[in-house]
Amino acid sequence: MSYDITISTTIKRLSKQGILEVSIKILVVGCAGRMGRRIISVIENSDGVELGAGLDMPGGPYIGLDAGEVAGVGKKNIPISSNISQVVDDCDVIIDFSVPSVSLENFLTAHEKGKAIIIGTTGMSEEHYKTFDAMAKTSRAVIAPNMSVGVNALFKLVSEASKILGDYDVEIVEMHHNQKVDAPSGTGVRLASIVAHEMNRDLDKVAKYGRNGKEGVRPKNEIGIMTLRGGDVVGEHTVIFAGLGERVELTHRAGSRDNFATGAVLASKWIVKQQNGIYDMQDVLGLR
Ligand code: NAD
């Protein structure tokens, strides 16, 4: 026992001194999905992290296949599992891009096992966020509907623009691929709530999700949130501030999923050095 402690203390000390790089082992949930595959690819090409395990839907076609091969990075000798309790102990951080109910369950497992978790899944409910907040003192998590560094810069820019252009009409337009199940996007909602917060408006009262027919003149405080779906668009968000004789538009366009995957891996490296708490990408990037 004392031998183990000595070894681990030595490893930590050497690691702190930068003499020894300790790799963070990551468990990827939803590893056969669009995001999961890109996350495995980014892990493969990043220093300081390694794939510890891959989890996907019980009974699904990928269970038992090699996680590396499914992700297209070559054999890793890591068969995709469907049971988190079989693989979680051997990992340092869980990255979960799956579906809301599964992410909530995995948050609770991470809490129970003392592991950090990064949740990118969108469509989480108010109840989910209440659960996360209630357990903030004893959990370590980064939960963000958009992990892209560029989108998080957009959040900051929109916050600043909203302060300056407080009496302009604001419309938010988002477009995603035709397989996306939730609408509007989590990022679209987040942008709307940033605008509402900075302009002292109650989003529940002023949000307008599409228009049809004789709606009448646009109410001054309205915040429009328009959802477009089609093709293989990875993700586009534009916030329009429209005033008299001018318009300011702030746009982010994702050309591939790698920006989200890179953000998730960055968050994994960041969270292992943090105290317990529920964080988002603004914390990871120091933008708060
Ligand atoms: P996807 O459908 O391609 O992948 C989801 C994966 O989860 C699938 O492989 C599915 O089999 C798996 N899954 C379902 N039930 C499971 C279970 N019980 N256990 C383990 N795995 C299970 O979807 P996607 O495009 O990869 O997106 C996943 C989520 O991430 C969505 O909510 C999406 O909106 C979100 N997303 C977030 C960001 C971000 O930056 N935060 C970026 C892109 C997508």
Side-chain angles (χ1 to χ4, degrees), residues 11-126:
I11 286 173
K12 275 188 192 147
R13 184 168 48 77
L14 292 176
S15 162
K16 264 190 191 162
Q17 292 168 359
I19 295 167
L20 189 70
E21 268 288 328
V22 176
S23 211
I24 301 162
K25 276 194 166 186
I26 299 181
L27 190 176
V28 178
V29 181
C31 68
R34 285 175 290 249
M35 277 306 302
R37 292 171 195 228
R38 296 316 306 154
I39 289 164
I40 290 177
S41 169
V42 170
I43 291 172
E44 183 68 8
N45 292 304
S46 303
D47 292 332
V49 287
E50 63 182 291
L51 182 65
L55 213 75
D56 211 84
M57 186 164 57
Y62 298 102
I63 302 305
L65 299 185
D66 187 82
E69 285 181 336
V70 168
V73 300
K75 201 166 176 65
K76 303 294 297 175
N77 291 316
I78 297 177
I80 298 178
S81 168
S82 59
N83 184 345
I84 193 165
S85 57
Q86 284 175 354
V87 288
V88 69
D89 288 330
D90 199 29
C91 296
D92 305 302
V93 180
I94 301 166
I95 298 183
D96 186 323
F97 281 65
S98 59
V99 292
S101 56
V102 172
S103 299
L104 178 63
E105 269 178 42
N106 290 334
F107 173 85
L108 298 174
T109 303
H111 174 266
E112 189 187 307
K113 297 279 186 181
K115 304 285 178 181
I117 184 165
I118 313 298
I119 298 180
T121 309
T122 61
M124 310 294 289
S125 70
E126 287 261 315

Side-chain angles (χ1 to χ4, degrees), residues 104-171:
L104 178 63
E105 269 178 42
N106 290 334
F107 173 85
L108 298 174
T109 303
H111 174 266
E112 189 187 307
K113 297 279 186 181
K115 304 285 178 181
I117 184 165
I118 313 298
I119 298 180
T121 309
T122 61
M124 310 294 289
S125 70
E126 287 261 315
E127 288 306 309
H128 289 146
Y129 281 103
K130 276 185 193 157
T131 306
F132 300 146
D133 287 342
M135 297 168 80
K137 285 203 172 114
T138 48
S139 308
R140 242 180 335 151
V142 175
I143 302 171
N146 198 311
M147 302 231 163
S148 141
V149 173
V151 162
N152 281 277
L154 178 69
F155 289 154
K156 186 77 177 169
L157 294 169
V158 166
S159 161
E160 293 304 313
S162 301
K163 286 179 199 156
I164 300 165
L165 307 171
D167 61 343
Y168 281 39
D169 297 333
V170 183
E171 296 281 314

